[in-house]
Each structure stands twice: as C-alpha cells, then as structure tokens.
C-alpha cells in the first residue's frame, strides 16, 4: 500500500482563500476587517518565528494586525494592563500572547486576563469548558486540534464510528482533539482512546486505530508494524533532530522529524501527514479562522 499524503500546506491554501472571501464580505457589512493583536515578549527564536508567521498570514488576509513587542523586563502588571486595554478595544477580535513567558510572569494569570470572547487560542478555562460541552457552546476550538480535525475531514476520511487512538494527553493537543472527535457532529462521532506514558501496551492500541493521532514529541516513536493497514495517521510531533542547510536560502535551520517513521509508515497507512508540511501549517490557519469567527460572534450574534 502507498499512503495518500495529506498536505497541510495545500489545505491551508484552500482555507485561506475561503477566509479571504469572508474577510471581504465582513468588511462590506461592517466597515472593518477582523483585528488581531500579537503580544511577543523577548526574542526567543522559536517564538519570534511563530509570531512572524502569524503576522504574515493575518496581513495576507487583510486583517488589522497590531504587534506588541515587549522586552523580557516588562512588569506583569504592565502586561496585564495592556491585555485589558485590548479587551476593551472594539476593533480587536483576537488577543494572542505568545508562550512561553519569562519566569517572573505568571502564565496562568496572563491567560486568565484575556477576555474569553477574544481568546482565539482557546486556552482560557471558559473556552476549555465550552469545548467539553460541545455543539453550539464551542466558540474557539484550540488551533492545532481544530487543524487536525479539518485535515481529516478534507481528506475524506470518515470519522463517524471510527476507532480513533490519540497518543498524548497534553492540554493543547491530546485532550482537546480527543474531546472534539468524540462529540456529535462534523469530524466527530468517533470512539476515542487516549494513550500516554502510563499506557501498558501502546502497540496493541495503535493497531486497532482507524485514525491514529500521534502527539508524543518522540521522534520515530510509531513503527510501521503498529499501524493498521489503510489507517489514517496524523503525525503532530515536531522534533528538532539536527541542523540542515535550506536549499533555497542557504541558511542553516533545524532538521525536523515527526513522531512517526514516515518512510516505513507510508507503505502501510492509507493516509499520512508529513513533517514538516502536515499539521504545522494548519495551526496558524485555524487561528485566523477563530479570529474571523470572533468578529462574527461580536457583530452578527447567533440567534
Ligand atoms: P507534551 O510534551 O505536553 O505531551 C506529550 C504527551 O505524549 C504526554 O501526554 C505524554 O504522556 C505522551 N507521551 C510521551 N512519550 C510517550 C510514549 N513513549 N508513549 C506514550 N505516550 C507518550 O507535548 P505537546 O505539547 O502535546 O506536543 C506533542 C508534540 O506535538 C511535540 O512534538 C510538539 O512539538 C508537537 N506540536 C506540534 C504542533 C503543530 O502545530 N504542528 C502544535 C503543538 C505541538
């Protein structure tokens, strides 16, 4: 068997085109585009690169994009005051604080300060609660899990009645994606098992999976023999395993590998995502989708 490769880079383009059309319509109806503020503290290279990509995508869609670059010496109180100002700003629909934060700032206090109705990352406990309730209660599904579900749907893989096995129980990937896929509705109705470091026999669970979602952060954890023939395998892992020279720019950059042995898995799986170019591009796309949705919730409330 040769797996169909599900490319996040291609699905991203499809979705961004849909979103760009919606932005134009929103501007016509309300005289303004969706507004996103990105707050970056310090110069952690990974954070700088994530924020740069978010800003680039927001600009491409014609969003109002506000950048706040703060130094690592910023006082927690000043950061909280800034968040509160954006909570009150009617031209801003999404507030994004790039994590991790410097040690003297309480991450939890910062996330709790964001208005849950502008928390487009979906990390505020109110949005976690809404996700668990499901249906119309959900406002901002967290971006990576939402991207995973969207990829599965757009690849034409049936989730209804499917055995889904999720490897990993983190708050940003494992738990929310499991929650989304067991709910009723689009991309849901699956029978979900979550496995983790406390699981006894990982391979036996993987072998049952019609859809295997791997978010462990362990390079090449999943072997071809653990995959049910024809299964859909979504590799969320992003592991920096060395350095490589970028063929386009000649610059040195991180060599990335996923959690799945891609080459071997491609002979067994029916569908497979690559790393890079799989789940990664979907995360920012879903952030944009949430920001646009936020403006709609505010300007065109659901009846
Ligand atoms: P995490 O470290 O918070 O959680 C990893 C989970 O995997 C834990 O719950 C742990 O129990 C489980 N696990 C680890 N080793 C295991 C093993 N040998 N057997 C069974 N379970 C095991 O990580 P996270 O934040 O959920 O991220 C997971 C991976 O996904 C990382 O590589 C991360 O870089 C990547 N990630 C990618 C994106 C993206 O946009 N592509 C977004 C978020 C995370």
């Amino acid at each position: 068997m040769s797996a169909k490769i599900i490319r996040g880079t291609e699905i991203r383009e499809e979705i961004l085109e849909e979103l760009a059309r919606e932005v134009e319509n929103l501007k016509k109806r309300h005289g303004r585009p969706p507004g996103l503020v990105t707050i970056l503290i310090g110069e952690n290279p990974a954070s700088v690169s994530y924020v740069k990509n978010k800003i680039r995508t927001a600009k491409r869609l014609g969003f109002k994009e506000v950048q706040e670059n703060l130094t690592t010496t910023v006082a927690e109180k000043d950061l909280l005051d800034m968040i509160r100002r954006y909570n009150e700003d009617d031209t801003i629909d999404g507030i994004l604080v790039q994590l991790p934060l410097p040690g003297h700032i309480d991450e939890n206090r910062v996330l709790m300060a964001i208005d849950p109705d502008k928390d487009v990352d979906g990390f505020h406990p109110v949005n976690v609660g809404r996700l668990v309730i499901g249906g119309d209660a959900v406002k901002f599904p967290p971006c990576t899990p939402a991207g995973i579900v969207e990829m599965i749907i757009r690849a034409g893989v049936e989730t209804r009645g499917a055995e889904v096995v999720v490897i990993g129980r983190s708050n940003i990937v494992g738990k929310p994606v499991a929650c989304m896929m067991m709910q009723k509705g689009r991309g849901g109705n699956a029978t979900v098992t979550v496995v983790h470091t406390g699981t006894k026999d990982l391979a036996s669970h993987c072998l049952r999976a019609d859809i295997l979602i791997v978010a462990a952060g362990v390079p090449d954890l999943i072997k071809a023999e653990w995959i049910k023939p024809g299964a859909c395998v979504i590799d969320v892992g992003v592991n920096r395993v060395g350095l490589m020279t970028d063929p386009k720019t000649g610059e040195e950059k991180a060599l990335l590998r996923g959690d799945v042995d891609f080459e071997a898995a491609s002979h067994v799986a029916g569908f497979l995502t690559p790393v890079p170019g799989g789940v990664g591009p979907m995360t920012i796309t879903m952030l944009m989708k949430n920001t646009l949705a936020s403006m709609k919730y505010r300007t065109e409330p659901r009846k």
Side-chain angles (χ1 to χ4, degrees):
M1 173 163 313
S2 191
K4 178 178 184 304
I5 307 302
I6 312 177
R7 296 191 193 283
T9 41
E10 287 170 10
I11 300 176
R12 168 182 62 191
E13 293 307 308
E14 259 174 56
I15 299 175
L16 289 180
E17 277 173 28
E18 293 163 15
L19 294 182
R21 282 195 291 275
E22 281 201 64
V23 171
E24 281 312 307
N25 289 335
L26 277 175
K27 279 204 298 206
K28 277 187 205 138
R29 290 203 295 274
H30 302 287
R32 72 166 182 92
L36 175 70
V37 57
T38 48
I39 304 178
L40 171 67
I41 301 162
E43 291 174 0
N44 172 321
S47 297
V48 170
S49 154
Y50 290 142
V51 167
K52 217 164 81 184
N53 282 333
K54 289 169 188 173
I55 292 169
R56 194 189 310 130
T57 313
K59 284 192 172 149
R60 174 178 160 185
L61 288 175
F63 283 14
K64 169 179 171 174
E65 214 294 322
V66 183
Q67 296 169 50
E68 294 284 3
N69 295 325
L70 307 176
T71 63
T72 46
T73 54
V74 66
E76 185 182 283
K77 181 184 173 307
D78 292 340
L79 175 60
L80 294 175
D81 285 346
M82 176 181 278
I83 291 171
R84 286 183 196 117
R85 277 201 307 281
Y86 284 116
N87 283 344
E88 299 301 318
D89 183 336
D90 286 339
T91 67
I92 292 296
D93 304 288
I95 301 173
L96 189 138
V97 180
Q98 186 64 44
L99 303 179
L101 300 176
H104 68 283
I105 297 179
D106 183 335
E107 192 173 295
N108 199 34
R109 204 173 292 151
V110 169
L111 294 182
M112 293 287 280
I114 299 172
D115 178 345
D117 289 341
K118 294 192 178 186
D119 166 44
V120 285
D121 261 335
F123 293 157
H124 191 289
V126 167
N127 285 317
V128 177
R130 288 168 170 165
L131 188 81
V132 174
I133 293 166
D136 284 349
V138 182
K139 280 203 147 179
F140 305 119
C143 302
T144 301
I148 295 168
V149 175
E150 198 61 40
M151 289 179 101
I152 295 171
I153 294 172
R154 289 188 187 229
V157 175
E158 180 60 81
T159 59
R160 187 184 187 86
E163 287 282 342
V164 172
V165 173
V166 178
I167 305 186
R169 54 181 159 187
S170 73
N171 288 332
I172 63 165
V173 188
K175 278 187 217 162
V177 81
C179 184
M180 288 167 77
M181 297 201 69
M182 73 173 185
Q183 304 278 15
K184 284 186 182 165
R186 184 176 176 265
N189 265 313
T191 303
V192 183
T193 306
V194 180
V195 300
H196 42 72
T197 44
T199 299
K200 274 189 195 144
D201 183 358
L202 195 59
S204 68
H205 289 285
C206 294
L207 265 170
R208 279 193 295 109
D210 301 313
I211 300 173
L212 180 62
I213 299 172
V214 194
V218 180
D220 295 342
L221 174 70
I222 304 303
K223 320 288 172 224
E225 311 82 82
W226 297 8
I227 296 171
K228 179 172 167 178
C232 171
V233 180
I234 307 289
D235 189 353
V236 190
V238 178
N239 305 292
R240 289 172 169 75
V241 294
L243 289 171
M244 61 173 281
T245 307
D246 188 320
K248 280 192 201 143
T249 63
E251 281 171 23
E252 215 169 56
K253 62 178 202 178
L255 177 63
L256 304 179
R257 268 193 93 80
D259 288 356
V260 177
D261 179 347
F262 182 86
E263 220 295 304
S266 69
H267 299 293
V268 186
F271 297 83
L272 180 60
T273 63
V275 177
V279 175
M282 296 298 293
T283 299
I284 293 180
T285 308
M286 300 324 270
L287 177 75
M288 301 302 139
K289 191 172 181 193
N290 277 351
T291 306
L292 195 144
S294 175
M295 175 170 170
K296 277 210 229 158
Y297 296 141
R298 190 163 301 101
T299 53
E300 302 171 1
R302 289 186 266 203
K303 302 276 180 312

